[in-house]
Amino acid sequence: KAAALEKIGTEGYLSACILLEEIYYRMEKLKKAEKAGEETRRALLACYGEDAELTTVRKRYWYQMGKSYYFQRDYENAKLWFGKMQGAVEDCSNCAGYRGRTCCFDMFLARGFLYEIEGDLDGAWRCYKAALQENPLDFDACYARKRLKKERKDDKAYDDRN
């Protein structure tokens, strides 16, 4: 309903599409998530276009595309889009001056997803922790850590203090 209230090509419509895709994915309604993912990717193109001029906008676009493919379990395309972010760190005003760090929380999240795809759950955990240090209320990082913690419930390394 939220998407129906927003105009296609706006941030509001894009946000509604992203949330719908994530909800379906987390409810394990994968066919609906796949259809919502297709709409999310169309909304991203309508909102930002393929040739967004600002690196920060391009980086956010690449992150959302990677996340959409990640939710669809299309890990090759997820790696492709997340990988595009890696080369943008030097040009991104958020990353370059972000509290003296070399990247911002979006980059930590993308790296966390990439580590998960490669099976390095410890690396993913560290990236999600770093993302939460930069943005303590970030939904993606909170959910990712909760998911990893659930998968590795007997492993003390996945305690919230680590």
Side-chain angles (χ1 to χ4, degrees):
K1 289 183 180 182
L5 297 174
E6 295 289 340
K7 185 177 176 189
I8 294 174
T10 65
E11 289 275 348
Y13 182 77
L14 173 59
S15 295
C17 290
I18 290 167
L19 287 173
L20 188 60
E21 178 185 9
E22 290 182 24
I23 289 167
Y24 284 141
Y25 171 75
R26 292 183 176 130
M27 292 174 62
E28 297 184 9
K29 295 184 177 189
L30 300 181
K31 293 251 187 234
K32 287 185 176 186
E34 184 177 337
K35 187 174 181 181
E38 291 169 5
E39 187 59 27
T40 296
R41 291 186 290 278
R42 277 194 291 275
L44 279 161
L45 283 171
C47 190
Y48 297 133
E50 287 190 51
D51 297 320
E53 290 184 29
L54 295 173
T55 301
T56 51
V57 172
R58 280 197 317 256
K59 198 167 63 86
R60 189 72 185 154
Y61 168 76
W62 294 332
Y63 171 73
Q64 291 296 347
M65 288 293 279
K67 190 170 76 164
S68 181
Y69 281 114
Y70 177 85
F71 285 149
Q72 302 305 313
R73 295 180 172 90
D74 182 347
Y75 299 133
E76 288 305 310
N77 274 315
K79 287 193 292 190
L80 172 84
W81 288 99
F82 286 141
K84 288 182 178 202
M85 291 177 67
Q86 303 284 81
V89 172
E90 294 80 25
D91 298 330
C92 177
S93 59
N94 284 347
C95 290
Y98 204 80
R99 296 184 193 153
R101 294 198 172 217
T102 56
C103 63
C104 58
F105 71 91
D106 285 341
M107 185 59 84
F108 285 123
L109 287 170
R111 288 178 180 165
F113 284 126
L114 286 170
Y115 278 130
E116 274 195 79
I117 290 169
E118 299 299 325
D120 181 356
L121 300 185
D122 292 339
W125 184 263
R126 286 189 302 275
C127 285
Y128 298 141
K129 181 179 179 179
L132 286 171
Q133 288 172 339
E134 297 297 327
N135 186 0
L137 300 177
D138 185 73
F139 181 78
D140 288 340
C142 289
Y143 182 79
R145 280 182 53 111
K146 181 179 177 184
R147 184 172 31 79
L148 285 178
K149 192 173 177 180
K150 184 178 176 185
E151 288 176 18
R152 305 287 293 267
K153 62 184 170 207
D154 297 330
D155 192 334
K156 296 279 187 215
Y158 293 91
D159 187 300
D160 284 330
R161 293 180 301 269
N162 295 323

